[in-house]
Amino acid sequence: RTVKRADVTVSVYNAGKRQGRAGVTMDLLERAGFGVGAVGNAPKGTKVWAAVVHTTRTVHPDATLVARALGAQVRVVVTSDDLGPGVDVIIGDHFRKLNPKAPRSVRVTNQASC
């Protein structure tokens, strides 16, 4: 089985100082084929340079697919905080664009639970 971008809902939260960046990033993700979740500001005190993906599951192919779309260096962090629907993306002021070479789907291994 594979997980495609259309199967994944993403919520975007801005941890930077520049207003409107979460909405702009959500537009990029939606145009890239992801489902739209929530848009807003990251919790106070959240510091992110470019982008990070948060998930509540240890093995989460959806989060991996989103991270790859955001860029090769984007990390997936497992946290107990679930900010919004689907996979949570937190962006900082240095996030610029999606990775045009990112895969449009990922294979789900036997140990993965979606």
Side-chain angles (χ1 to χ4, degrees), residues 13-15 41-47 81 83 90:
Y13 300 93
N14 186 2
N41 290 321
K44 249 190 181 3
T46 304
K47 296 195 185 323
D81 296 331
L83 300 176
I90 302 177

Side-chain angles (χ1 to χ4, degrees), residues 14-93:
N14 186 2
K17 293 182 172 83
R18 295 167 46 202
Q19 291 189 1
R21 300 279 295 144
V24 169
T25 303
M26 179 61 81
D27 289 345
L28 292 173
L29 289 164
E30 183 179 16
R31 273 188 255 134
F34 291 98
V36 176
V39 173
N41 290 321
K44 249 190 181 3
T46 304
K47 296 195 185 323
V48 174
W49 173 259
V52 66
V53 174
H54 281 194
T55 180
T56 57
R57 293 190 254 169
T58 308
V59 177
H60 197 183
D62 296 17
T64 301
L65 185 60
V66 173
R68 288 180 182 166
L70 293 169
Q73 303 301 316
V74 174
R75 294 181 308 125
V76 175
V77 175
V78 178
T79 177
S80 60
D81 296 331
D82 190 6
L83 300 176
V87 175
D88 294 333
V89 172
I90 302 177
I91 58 159
D93 287 333

